[in-house]
Amino acid sequence: GAVVSQHPSWVICKSGTSVKIECRSLDFQATTMFWYRQFPKQSLMLMATSNEGSKATYEQGVEKDKFLINHASLTLSTLTVTSAHPEDSSFYICSARDASGGIETQYFGPGTRLLVL
Amino acid sequence: QKEVEQNSGPLSVPEGAIASLNCTYSDRGSQSFFWYRQYSGKSPELIMSIYSNGDKEDGRFTAQLNKASQYVSLLIRDSQPSDSATYLCAPSDQAGTALIFGKGTTLSVSS
């Protein structure tokens, strides 16, 4: 089956620092990847859609200058949380869209837990 | 606004029973429908997909789709304690490029 990896799985950082999270599709090419955020006991919230070779599309209310997304290749998208603050502490999950089987299906990475002190 | 409605639960069933999870969606253009399972503290895992009206069976799971009623369901037969999780219903958007997630139904299977 399709496998999506994320790195790192855990990040603890000081307030004001920037954190980069990588999302990779390991056995398929993904022209589109998605970034979600999930707070404890809450539902998934789509932050942005990342398209290979073009600018990401951000959901309403998500600051594009704070959450920088780069999708430089068909297997890698990165999310950089710039000048992180405690309120950015959350579970960040990426997904990648696999269209190789004729039907587009999203597969999720294992997620990255961010704790900003 | 596109919406996906799920009963948040918790839905409690005894081990060995059938668990029935329901979902309604508002976007008539949705063509693909997915069920994801999310264990506490983990990311969602794809368990079923369905594209045509009717039933689709995969092991203990059966997905049912009725596009006219804008309704999709997931049945879990012979429920096990390991099935205890939150189940997310996710129709695709009309373009088929993104998923619209419901808030999920929490299932608790007691032994």
Side-chain angles (χ1 to χ4, degrees), chain A residues 32 34 36 38 43-44 46 49 91 93 97 103-111 113, chain B residues 32 34 36 38 40-46 51 88 95-99 101-103:
Chain A
T32 304
F34 303 88
Y36 296 84
Q38 188 173 38
S43 57
L44 284 173
L46 178 64
T49 301
F91 189 33
I93 313 171
R97 194 176 74 195
I103 298 291
E104 297 186 352
T105 305
Q106 272 190 45
Y107 296 94
F108 282 86
R113 294 204 177 277
Chain B
S32 306
F34 303 87
Y36 289 83
Q38 186 175 23
S40 181
K42 302 293 186 182
S43 67
E45 170 192 13
L46 179 66
Y51 315 105
L88 304 170
T97 56
L99 297 179
F101 281 92
K103 293 188 176 182

Side-chain angles (χ1 to χ4, degrees), chain B:
Chain B
Q1 184 176 355
K2 301 166 188 173
E3 293 183 348
V4 177
E5 296 289 337
Q6 292 184 258
N7 189 325
S8 62
L11 173 65
S12 298
V13 300
E15 184 175 359
I18 296 175
S20 177
L21 306 167
N22 305 314
C23 170
T24 59
Y25 59 95
S26 64
D27 188 353
R28 286 196 171 276
S30 295
Q31 296 297 319
S32 306
F33 303 85
F34 303 87
W35 283 97
Y36 289 83
R37 176 177 62 198
Q38 186 175 23
Y39 290 112
S40 181
K42 302 293 186 182
S43 67
E45 170 192 13
L46 179 66
I47 55 172
M48 285 288 288
S49 59
I50 188 167
Y51 315 105
S52 305
N53 283 327
D55 296 358
K56 178 182 178 183
E57 186 175 319
D58 183 0
R60 295 187 295 111
F61 299 99
T62 299
Q64 299 174 318
L65 174 62
N66 184 324
K67 291 184 180 179
S69 300
Q70 296 173 249
Y71 173 86
V72 59
S73 67
L74 179 70
L75 300 178
I76 306 175
R77 290 182 299 282
D78 188 22
S79 296
Q80 301 296 309
S82 59
D83 294 326
S84 298
T86 296
Y87 289 80
L88 304 170
C89 170
S92 67
D93 63 6
Q94 192 164 1
T97 56
L99 297 179
I100 309 163
F101 281 92
K103 293 188 176 182
T105 297
T106 300
L107 172 66
S108 177
V109 181
S110 56
S111 56

